[in-house]
Amino acid sequence: MKIAVVGTGYVGLVAGTCFSDTGNEVICVDNDQRKIDRLNKGEIPIYEPGLEEMIKRNTLQERLSFSTDIATAVKNSEIIFIAVGTPPDEDGSADLKYVLQVAQSIGKHINGFKVIVDKSTVPIGTADLVTKEIARHSDESFAVVSNPEFLKEGAAISDFMRPDRVVIGSNNERASEIMRNLYAPFVRTGKPIIVMDIRSAELTKYAANSLLATKISFMNEIANLCEVVGANVDMVRKGIGSDARIGPYFIFPGTGYGGSCFPKDVKAIIKTAADNNAKLQILEAVESVNKKQKTILYKKIESYFKGDLKGKTFAMWGLAFKPKTDDMREAPAIDLINALAATGAKIQGHDPEANDEARRIFGDRVGKEITLFNKRYDALNNADALIIMTEWNEFREPDFYLVKDMLKSAAIFDGRNIYNPERMQKFEIDYFSIGRSSTN
Ligand code: NAD
């Protein structure tokens, strides 16, 4: 099939590449000229395991190309995916300006029946808006379907190639059939393609992300309770996770959820409910628990140093919102860096993939409040303590003697619970984690 994917970010680039890998002819479109120039030179603008090799293979076979020319892409394709960003607006709702810009371009250049696919996470009713916008500019026939994406950054290729399910919202049988055929190679092991009405598909994505965010906030509250009653959240997690009704996934406590999806999607569904005179009380609590959780490590650091943080230096391992990605959108590390910097402390950060993104985010603060290091141990030089913000594998087993030697205070504040408290005690390292007793 001939496919256009508009928006070449984490979702669009992965989706377009994976569709080309199953033999389709795919043109990925973006209005960011620099991004397209880089892709045409073989440079991959994001870090995602396995992506670079897959892009190389498919561009070489001329199944995958990159362009800023949306007109040609629309004219030459049977299926057009809209995979642009839907960032939060000031009131928490999803900002649809990019989605509707693309719909307008499609309307201007459509030349025969096409399936238009909302791949971006969009509020209920967006397919109707996209339909109206296209129809405003054209009399051609087309069908808009909703096909929310469930991939996880860091495992995006394997999630896309082997999804747990594919959700398709459609009220047009011809479009449903085209979508079933397109996804057939991805569900050969029998995973379901669930075709439903459009509004249910749109809501499914928000419901899924909101439930996952709920699990995280729930577990963070239980972890905080563990600390005050002297329980160990690792044990509680194992104890509840082995119940098949609960399951072992997504019940790890930490410093609050971040990333480009959970914070904005929870806000957007709360707003959708409010707009419809409904109230999502659980999700309102999920959001406020998360906000508080993002301050939890700061409070531990402040208390350890008795409020005297001015002039202190903190090594921070991990800046991305989770491992195996360079994405720092809404990363808890940003909140902690800002809180520490506000007291006059300095941060020496290191992330295996997100240093460039941190440079972009912190701009001219880099080299002043925050310095970035390519090697993990270099970030420890002259630091008062070490903070762990992302559970990259390479942080799990450092040379603890060296870490202790390099730090002025031999203290580790671990927001991801990657070390064993008893082991830290043996190393005589003051160790603070989430939901477990501290060792100092
Ligand atoms: P992103 O910011 O990485 O990429 C969006 C891309 O769209 C950018 O490259 C931008 O330049 C481009 N763009 C914006 N307006 C455009 C236009 N008018 N024409 C052409 N290109 C345009 O975003 P993302 O993380 O890929 O997310 C895209 C959507 O998918 C969002 O709605 C998001 O909620 C959803 N989603 C994201 C993930 C994830 O893990 N990142 C997972 C599932 C769903």
Side-chain angles (χ1 to χ4, degrees):
M1 282 186 242
K2 290 192 166 181
I3 300 172
V5 180
V6 188
T8 314
Y10 287 87
V11 167
L13 186 56
V14 168
T17 305
C18 292
F19 284 135
S20 70
D21 208 57
T22 51
N24 298 290
E25 224 173 278
V26 180
I27 175 154
C28 286
V29 179
D30 206 286
N31 61 358
D32 181 341
Q33 183 73 53
R34 263 195 56 214
K35 205 176 234 189
I36 294 299
D37 289 346
R38 286 185 68 187
L39 283 161
N40 279 325
K41 278 193 265 171
E43 290 171 25
I44 315 303
I46 54 169
Y47 173 75
E48 189 58 52
L51 181 61
E52 184 166 359
E53 187 233 313
M54 207 184 224
I55 289 180
K56 286 216 167 99
R57 188 168 63 239
N58 287 289
T59 44
L60 209 64
Q61 294 293 322
E62 296 180 356
R63 285 189 295 260
L64 179 62
S65 60
F66 304 99
S67 169
T68 52
D69 179 4
I70 191 164
T72 309
V74 167
K75 284 181 191 141
N76 288 348
S77 306
E78 305 156 73
I79 311 176
I80 301 151
F81 279 85
I82 304 178
V84 295
T86 47
D89 221 336
E90 273 161 27
D91 62 2
S93 62
D95 185 350
L96 289 178
K97 105 171 143 253
Y98 305 116
V99 170
L100 294 176
Q101 269 169 14
V102 177
Q104 187 187 74
S105 305
I106 295 172
K108 285 185 179 160
H109 303 293
I110 190 168
N111 57 345
F113 181 81
K114 319 247 173 207
V115 180
I116 318 300
V117 188
D118 280 340
K119 179 58 111 179
S120 301
T121 302
V122 288
I124 296 96
T126 300
D128 294 341
L129 297 178
V130 169
T131 303
K132 267 193 210 135
E133 186 59 31
I134 298 173
R136 232 162 45 90
H137 300 277
S138 172
D139 293 331
E140 294 285 357
S141 74
F142 63 92
V144 175
V145 308
S146 161
N147 170 220
E149 182 48 56
F150 299 97
L151 65 76
K152 303 182 288 294
E153 285 175 22
I157 297 284
S158 59
D159 285 350
F160 199 93
M161 294 305 286
R162 287 174 293 280
D164 288 338
R165 79 309 207 177
V166 174
V167 170
I168 294 165
S170 168
N171 55 14
N172 178 302
E173 197 32 58
R174 183 174 171 193
S176 307
E177 195 50 33
I178 291 173
M179 293 300 286
R180 275 198 199 94
N181 289 334
L182 176 66
Y183 274 106
F186 299 88
V187 292
R188 282 173 305 136
T189 53
K191 293 289 164 77
I193 294 179
I194 309 168
V195 181
M196 57 179 82
D197 65 278
I198 295 176
R199 285 180 172 242
S200 301
E202 288 171 337
L203 181 52
T204 296
K205 174 65 189 175
Y206 283 102
N209 274 359
S210 299
L211 183 54
L212 293 169
T214 303
K215 283 182 102 172
I216 296 174
S217 274
F218 174 83
M219 217 45 211
N220 283 335
E221 279 207 310
I222 294 292
N224 298 341
L225 182 63
C226 283
E227 286 185 25
V228 292
V229 299
N232 179 343
V233 75
D234 280 347
M235 294 299 117
V236 177
R237 177 175 57 75
K238 286 179 188 153
I240 63 171
S242 43
D243 183 328
R245 293 170 303 176
I246 296 172
Y249 307 107
F250 250 81
I251 50 173
F252 288 79
T255 51
Y257 58 76
S260 67
C261 290
F262 292 172
K264 91 172 162 59
D265 292 351
V266 169
K267 277 192 184 72
I269 194 174
I270 290 173
K271 180 69 171 58
T272 297
D275 289 347
N276 289 279
N277 297 320
K279 198 168 160 60
L280 294 174
Q281 285 170 264
I282 292 176
L283 291 181
E284 283 176 8
V286 164
E287 217 193 358
S288 76
V289 167
N290 194 58
K291 217 168 157 191
K292 197 164 150 217
Q293 197 67 14
K294 283 190 167 183
T295 66
I296 214 104
L297 217 50
Y298 175 79
K299 286 185 188 138
K300 288 174 195 268
I301 297 167
E302 189 185 39
S303 144
Y304 181 77
F305 288 100
K306 303 193 170 50
D308 181 20
L309 298 179
K310 194 165 186 220
K312 297 268 182 312
T313 298
F314 294 95
M316 186 178 283
W317 284 0
L319 303 167
F321 84 96
K322 66 171 178 179
K324 296 191 188 164
T325 183
D326 57 350
D327 198 343
M328 283 185 67
R329 287 178 280 188
E330 303 254 0
I334 298 177
D335 295 71
L336 184 53
I337 289 170
N338 287 338
L340 290 170
T343 66
K346 288 198 161 50
I347 295 92
Q348 301 188 155
H350 161 73
D351 189 285
E353 292 296 336
N355 278 1
D356 283 347
E357 187 57 9
R359 265 180 213 106
R360 195 187 63 76
I361 290 171
F362 292 106
D364 58 12
R365 291 166 68 189
V366 176
K368 295 173 192 152
E369 298 162 355
I370 168 162
T371 315
L372 295 160
F373 293 87
N374 290 333
K375 292 186 183 154
R376 60 188 173 158
Y377 292 131
D378 290 349
L380 300 177
N381 261 326
N382 296 316
D384 287 276
L386 168 63
I387 302 168
I388 308 286
M389 290 305 283
T390 319
E391 67 277 31
W392 283 94
N393 264 342
E394 49 261 66
F395 301 154
R396 289 185 188 274
E397 198 48 53
D399 177 343
F400 287 107
Y401 291 111
L402 181 64
V403 170
K404 197 181 150 185
D405 262 12
M406 290 183 80
L407 293 175
K408 286 188 203 157
S409 312
I412 298 180
F413 298 87
D414 178 0
R416 311 303 310 178
N417 285 3
I418 61 175
Y419 304 132
N420 178 323
E422 283 87 56
R423 203 165 159 221
M424 293 301 103
Q425 203 158 25
K426 283 188 195 136
F427 282 112
E428 295 180 347
I429 290 175
D430 293 345
Y431 180 65
F432 304 86
S433 55
I434 312 289
R436 310 183 297 182
S437 56
S438 340
T439 60
N440 67 324

